[in-house]
Amino acid sequence: MTSTLTWAQLRDLKCAELEGAADGWGRSSNRADAARDRIEQQLLTGLRETQEGEAAQAAVARLRQLGRNFQYVYTECGLLRTTLNSLAHEMKTQQRVLKDALDDAAALKFTVHADGSVTYPAGGEGLVDGAPLRGGTAASNGLPGLVPPSGLVAPNPNVAKAQDVADRVAGAVRAAAEIDWRYAGILRRLKAEEGLKVPDATWKDAAGDAAAVRDAAGAYLKDAIPRDASPAERRDWWAGLTQEQREEYLAVYPDQIGNLDGIPALVRDAANRDNLSLLIGELEGRDDEKSATQLAGLREIDRQLGAGTQPPMFLLGIGDEGNGRAIVSFGNPDTAKNVAAYVPGLNTSLDRDFAEGDLKRARDTAIAAQDIDHSSAVIAWLGYDAPQTPDGFASFAVMGDERANEGGRAFSDFMGGIVETNETGDAHLTAIGHSYGSRTVGAATQQGDGIPGVDDIVLVGSPGVGVDNADDLKVGSGHVFVGAAENDVVTKLPSKQQVAVGAATGPFAYFVGDVMDQGDDDLWFGKDPASQAFGARRFPVDEGPHLVGPRGVSIDAHSQYFDPERDAVSADSIALITAGRSSEVKMEEPR
C-alpha cells in the first residue's frame, strides 16, 4: 500500500494473498515443530538409552541446542502466520464497511469520487416555489454525524445520506490505514537473529515479539478464548477448532492455552514448554529479586524437562503471576487410571526449592505408585499463592483462610479439568495436601459437591483443614487418610484462640503458644485431622527429628512424609492410596 491509502486500494486489496502467505509461514512453523519433536522424542531418547560418556553428553547438549533452535523457528514462523492472518482479518472487516457504504451509494445513485467525496442528485421540494432542490457534493470532515442543519438552508433529503456514505468511506479508509501502519511495525520486528545459536537474549526478543502479536491479534484470536467457561466447555471449544486454529493459538497464546483447565494434557504440555522459553527470556531482562528467584525455578524445571527423566514429565501450567505458578505431572494424567494431585503449603513459591524439592516429592510418589499400578500419574500443583512467612516457621500468625479459599477454587477447577480430559472413563483421583496445602484442599472440598472426581484425600503435616469432621470433606470419612509425625510442630499448632490468650500474657508465652499445642484437638484451622474427634483414618509415619536437637532447631519432621528413604512407611502408604489400593494401607490409632 502507498503511504496515502485510498478507498479504491482498500476495495481491491486481496486479503486472500495475505492468508496464503500466512499458510506458507504456518507450514514452515509446523516443519520446525516436527523437527524439534523428532530431536526430543527420538534422537535424544535413543542417545540417552544407548550411549554414555563425555562424547554422548556433548552430543546431547548439541542436540538440545538444535532443538531450541527449531523451537525458535517454530515460534517466530507461527507469530508471522498469525500476524498476517490477523492483518487480513482486520482488513476484511474494513472492506465490509467500505462495501456496504459503496452499495448504499449505488442504490441511491450517488457518485463516490476518488477522494471519497460523494455527489448526490437534486431532491425534495423548495419551501418557497416547490421546485426540486439542487444536488451537490458531501465530503467527510472526520467527524461522523455532523451534517448541515435542515430547514431553509439544506432541506434536500439526499444531503444527510450522502454525508453518511462519505463518513463511512472515510472511516473505513482511516481505520485501514491505522491497521496497515500498526502491522507494518510488528512485521518489521519479526526477524531472526544472525547465526545458528539461539541464546537467552534471543528468547527475550521472542517474548517481546509474542507480546506485540498478542496485542494485535486480540480481536482475531484472544477474545474467543473461553476463560470464564467450565472445563467441559473449554474441552469442547478446543475439540471444535480446526487444526490451523489450534496451531495459531499455540503459537501466539501458549500462556493462555497451557493454563486452561479442560485442555488435553499433551496440548497444555506443548504450550507450556514454549511459554517456558518465553518466560525465561522475559525474566532474563529483569534485575529484581522476585524475577531472579523465579528464573532459578524455571531454569531447573527446564533442565528436568530436557533431561528425559522417567516417569515422563508433563508441564500442565507455568506462569510468573503472584509468587509464581507451576503444575507438573509425572505421567500422563489423561491416560492414567490413577491420578493424584499434590498441593504444597506454607512458604512454597516458584523457586529452585520448589523445582527440586516439591517436584521430587511428586516424582517419588509417581515412581512408587507405578510400581503398584503402572497406570498412575502424580501432579505437583502450585496453582495458587501459598502464604509466605517472613522468618521461616518462627510465627504462623500469617496463615489466614484467604489464600486457601482462593487456591481451593483454582484447585477445584483444575481437578474438574482432569475429569474432563481423562480418557479412561472412570479414573481414580486423589487429592494430597501437605502443610497449608491441606487447608487448601479442605477449602476445595467446600466448592459445590466437593472436589470434582476425587475419591480419596490424603492430609500430611496438616495444621487443620477448615472443617471439624472428615465427613465434611465429601468423600466419606473412610476415604480421608492422615499422616502426622510425632515431632512435626505444624500438626500440633494451637488454635487461634489459644494463641490470643498466650499473646495476652507476654511475648514469651506468645512464642510458646505459637508452636506448641495446648493438649486438646483444636489446631489453627479447626480439629486436628489426626485426632479421633475428626474421624479420618490415620496411617503410621516416622516420628521425625525433634524440634530442638543437638544441631539446634529443626523442622525436618514436617518435610519427610514423601521421602522413601527418610520415611518409607509414609511414602509407601501415600503411593498405595494414589494407586487405588488404600485397603492395603496399615492404620494406627488416632491421637
Side-chain angles (χ1 to χ4, degrees):
M1 291 185 180
T2 61
S3 57
T4 302
L5 181 65
T6 67
W7 66 261
Q9 288 176 311
L10 175 59
R11 178 197 60 192
D12 297 338
L13 175 66
K14 294 179 174 58
C15 290
E17 293 182 357
L18 291 173
E19 292 169 332
D23 290 342
W25 286 109
R27 287 190 291 271
S28 296
S29 179
N30 290 340
R31 283 195 292 269
D33 193 33
R36 177 186 60 173
D37 281 347
R38 184 166 183 266
I39 289 171
E40 294 180 352
Q41 304 300 326
Q42 298 179 32
L43 298 181
L44 280 173
T45 300
L47 189 59
R48 291 191 182 104
E49 291 177 350
T50 61
Q51 304 295 321
E52 295 181 357
E54 293 184 6
Q57 293 175 359
V60 165
R62 293 290 296 272
L63 281 173
R64 285 208 69 195
Q65 179 62 59
L66 183 59
R68 284 173 62 84
N69 291 357
F70 277 123
Q71 182 181 2
Y72 175 70
V73 173
Y74 157 78
T75 298
E76 291 292 306
C77 290
L79 293 176
L80 277 164
R81 170 177 57 184
T82 298
T83 299
L84 292 171
N85 275 333
S86 185
L87 170 59
H89 172 80
E90 293 195 39
M91 283 299 191
K92 284 193 288 188
T93 298
Q94 299 310 318
Q95 283 183 318
R96 286 193 294 271
V97 173
L98 175 64
K99 181 178 183 302
D100 289 345
L102 295 177
D103 288 346
D104 288 347
L108 293 167
K109 301 189 184 309
F110 293 173
T111 300
V112 181
H113 301 285
D115 62 357
S117 60
V118 179
T119 297
Y120 55 89
E125 295 181 354
L127 297 179
V128 177
D129 57 8
L133 297 169
R134 68 176 182 272
T137 300
S140 177
N141 58 9
L143 298 173
L146 294 181
V147 298
S150 60
L152 293 173
V153 178
N156 186 336
N158 291 320
V159 173
K161 297 176 183 178
Q163 187 67 53
D164 175 63
V165 170
D167 287 340
R168 284 191 284 159
V169 169
V173 172
R174 187 166 53 248
E178 187 277 330
I179 293 166
D180 181 44
W181 174 84
R182 178 158 42 90
Y183 279 92
I186 295 171
L187 289 168
R188 275 194 294 269
R189 68 177 292 170
L190 289 175
K191 58 182 181 180
E193 297 289 332
E194 293 185 3
L196 296 176
K197 289 189 176 182
V198 183
D200 290 334
T202 301
W203 279 111
K204 177 184 175 182
D205 291 339
D209 293 344
V213 176
R214 288 170 190 165
D215 289 342
Y220 172 58
L221 289 176
K222 185 178 181 181
D223 293 347
I225 298 175
R227 294 174 190 79
D228 298 327
S230 68
E233 290 169 332
R234 292 166 177 168
R235 176 203 61 200
D236 293 343
W237 169 76
W238 184 260
L241 296 177
T242 65
Q243 184 60 29
E244 180 180 352
Q245 288 172 322
R246 293 177 185 174
E247 290 167 359
E248 288 199 75
Y249 276 113
L250 287 171
V252 182
Y253 294 106
D255 58 327
Q256 301 278 334
I257 302 304
N259 291 286
L260 208 59
D261 299 325
I263 301 298
L266 287 173
V267 176
R268 292 180 71 163
D269 178 62
N272 285 314
R273 286 177 187 246
D274 290 334
N275 192 41
L276 177 62
S277 295
L278 294 174
L279 276 174
I280 289 174
E282 185 177 335
L283 294 180
E284 273 285 342
R286 303 176 186 172
D287 56 5
D288 58 286
E289 183 178 353
K290 174 187 172 183
S291 296
T293 298
Q294 292 187 348
L295 183 60
L298 292 173
R299 286 194 180 283
E300 175 57 21
I301 291 173
D302 185 50
R303 186 198 67 78
Q304 293 184 37
L305 287 169
T309 57
Q310 293 297 323
M313 294 173 66
F314 294 82
L315 190 57
L316 304 182
I318 201 74
D320 62 347
E321 62 267 34
N323 294 327
R325 302 287 186 268
I327 306 172
V328 179
S329 180
F330 293 90
N332 188 340
D334 286 355
T335 58
K337 293 188 300 181
N338 306 294
V339 181
Y342 149 64
V343 183
L346 192 68
N347 288 323
T348 308
S349 63
L350 178 55
D351 56 17
R352 193 175 187 89
D353 286 342
F354 168 82
E356 291 178 341
D358 290 283
L359 293 194
K360 182 180 184 300
R361 291 174 180 175
R363 183 170 180 264
D364 285 343
T365 304
I367 291 172
Q370 288 188 1
D371 284 342
I372 300 166
D373 185 338
H374 71 278
S375 185
S376 299
V378 179
I379 301 163
W381 185 86
L382 182 59
Y384 79 121
D385 284 331
Q388 307 290 306
T389 61
D391 48 2
F393 282 82
S395 173
F396 292 92
V398 299
M399 290 201 301
D401 294 295
E402 182 179 355
R403 299 285 182 91
N405 291 331
E406 292 178 358
R409 288 189 287 271
F411 184 65
S412 181
D413 288 342
F414 174 78
M415 295 304 287
I418 295 296
V419 171
E420 296 301 332
T421 58
N422 187 273
E423 301 168 5
T424 65
D426 187 23
H428 168 257
L429 303 186
T430 304
I432 305 172
H434 173 243
S435 185
Y436 189 85
S438 67
R439 176 67 185 92
T440 303
V441 169
T445 66
Q446 303 308 296
Q447 304 293 313
D449 296 328
I451 307 175
V454 166
D455 303 286
D456 293 315
I457 292 176
V458 177
L459 310 169
V460 289
S462 176
V465 295
V467 299
D468 289 335
N469 191 281
D471 280 328
D472 295 333
L473 298 179
K474 302 177 182 177
V475 293
S477 60
H479 292 274
V480 179
F481 302 88
V482 178
E486 180 62 27
N487 293 319
D488 183 353
V489 64
V490 177
T491 71
K492 295 187 175 183
L493 288 177
S495 68
K496 297 175 185 178
Q497 292 80 6
Q498 290 165 345
V499 170
V501 172
T505 62
F508 178 75
Y510 173 78
F511 174 78
V512 173
D514 203 23
V515 297
M516 293 182 64
D517 189 13
Q518 304 298 304
D520 58 18
D521 295 327
D522 293 322
L523 296 186
W524 193 265
F525 292 116
K527 287 293 179 188
D528 177 4
S531 70
Q532 186 171 7
F534 190 79
R537 303 175 68 189
R538 185 184 181 193
F539 55 87
V541 302
D542 186 87
E543 65 178 17
H546 289 281
L547 177 63
V548 180
R551 298 183 180 180
V553 176
S554 169
I555 57 169
D556 287 350
H558 184 63
S559 60
Q560 63 185 36
Y561 295 99
F562 301 88
D563 195 314
E565 295 182 359
R566 293 190 297 166
D567 195 345
V569 174
S570 175
D572 289 345
S573 297
I574 295 172
L576 281 167
I577 298 166
T578 294
R581 304 268 282 273
S582 61
S583 61
E584 300 177 23
V585 178
K586 295 180 180 179
M587 298 299 165
E588 68 176 4
E589 292 297 317
R591 286 177 175 170

